[in-house]
């Protein structure tokens, strides 16, 4: 009954929008980590490659291996830190690995030597996110040493922005200046990585100077602007619709307590609609008594606790709803629309988390 429908045509359209945004000469690396932000990594990866993305990126070696097992042989970078125990799997599946220290690069080169393979690395420079990577102050010396390692090719050097989606671009510009300075100094040492990259969705859309050789869109591929509502204004199309069907429509008298712990009481004789979807499907329990779903093209408030598998809507103002009517949790119905960003905002989060929290219990359907 509950399904997430992913419009691969929308994904391809979004790739077109992003290709237009970066212009000619800039390759696109489709970020399909976290099961393509909940959309399904393999089908989304294939759609992005068909639409002209040259590269794929995931967070972990396991995610990369899963794509290789799905017979996807495009260039594929793991963006997150990986453990030396994972190097043999990464190397034998021809993954390019992000590296954040000379020590890891040395261990990786050793693993490649043992297997008779060549490691391909993208060194991450930490220009101010203070998360992963070699701090910019040490980066030039360490990257030069990494580039000199045997059994290893320095395929790329990259950085990642803390707040490129914000209107105030000063922090992103400071990071970009540090990155360009490191690249220039490397160039002075004769170290010229094939691919220099920095842009996430926010920078692709709003910071043209950061495009370099390759750009790494994630959330924009799925149709959302990283800053929240605004994706549509850029011509992006949300790709995922989460829908189900009303499983019960029943009246309740005034004063009836609804769902666990009776956190909601009807103020009037009411019609309650049962939605067979709950927090085990990825609907946050914090949406209890907050937010809406669409039935008959209109917003219906969530009342009472969101349960593991079921949620109740107040349908009193929607006479005529019957069992089997479509319920849209994320997406469009008639003239109404609830985005993953709007749903997330009710519980203090964003489209990213809302989308990648849709659990494996929800079947994904693919349409063109
Ligand atoms: C997740 C991620 C991206 C994509 O970010 P979006 O904001 O979704 O476009 C790009 N680069 C790195 C290093 C990432 O971790």
């Amino acid at each position: 009954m509950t399904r997430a429908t992913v419009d691969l045509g929308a994904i391809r359209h979004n790739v077109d929008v992003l290709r237009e945004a970066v212009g000619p000469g800039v390759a696109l690396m489709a970020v399909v980590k976290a099961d393509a932000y909940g959309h399904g990594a393999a089908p989304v990866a294939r759609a992005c490659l068909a639409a002209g993305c040259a590269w794929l990126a995931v967070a972990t070696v396991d995610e990369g291996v899963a794509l290789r097992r799905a017979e996807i042989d495009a260039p594929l970078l793991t963006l997150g830190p990986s453990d030396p125990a994972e190097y043999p799997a990464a190397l034998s599946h021809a993954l390019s690995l992000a590296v954040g220290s000379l020590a890891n690069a040395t261990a990786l080169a050793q693993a490649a030597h043992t297997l008779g393979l060549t490691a391909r690395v993208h060194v991450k420079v930490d220009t101010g996110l203070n998360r992963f990577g070699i701090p910019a102050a040490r980066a030039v010396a360490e990257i030069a040493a990494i580039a000199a390692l045997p059994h290893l090719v320095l395929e790329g050097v990259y950085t990642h922005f803390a707040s490129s989606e914000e209107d105030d671009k000063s922090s992103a510009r400071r990071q970009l200046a540090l990155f360009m300075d490191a690249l220039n100094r490397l160039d002075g040492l004769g170290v010229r990585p094939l691919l220099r990259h920095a842009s996430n969705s926010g920078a692709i859309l709003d910071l043209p100077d950061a495009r370099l050789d390759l750009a790494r869109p994630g959330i924009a591929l799925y149709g959302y602007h990283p800053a929240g509502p605004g994706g549509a204004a850029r011509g992006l199309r949300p790709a995922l619709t989460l829908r189900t069907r009303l499983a019960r429509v029943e009246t309740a008298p005034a004063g009836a307590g609804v769902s666990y712990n009776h956190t909601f009481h009807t103020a009037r004789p009411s019609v309650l609609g049962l939605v067979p979807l709950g927090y085990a499907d990825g609907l946050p329990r914090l949406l209890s008594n907050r937010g809406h779903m669409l039935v008959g093209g209109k917003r219906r408030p969530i009342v009472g606790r969101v349960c593991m598998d079921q949620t109740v809507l107040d349908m009193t103002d929607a006479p005529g709803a019957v069992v089997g009517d479509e319920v849209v949790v994320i997406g469009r119905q008639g003239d109404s629309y609830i985005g993953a960003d709007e749903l997330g905002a009710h519980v203090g989060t964003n489209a990213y988390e809302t989308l990648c929290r849709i659990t494996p219990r929800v079947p994904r359907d693919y349409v063109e």
Side-chain angles (χ1 to χ4, degrees), residues 29-33 37 57-59 77 79-80 124 129 131-132 158-161 164-165 197-204 215-222 224-226 352:
M29 173 184 274
V31 179
V32 295
K33 62 191 177 190
Y37 294 40
V58 292
L77 174 65
L79 293 166
K124 175 77 171 281
L129 184 57
R131 199 175 69 174
F132 177 49
Y158 75 109
T159 193
H160 192 41
F161 294 116
S164 63
E165 82 286 8
H197 49 110
S199 295
N200 51 4
S201 296
I204 291 169
R216 307 187 304 265
I219 196 73
L221 290 175
Y222 309 102
Y224 289 91
H225 191 282
Y352 297 74

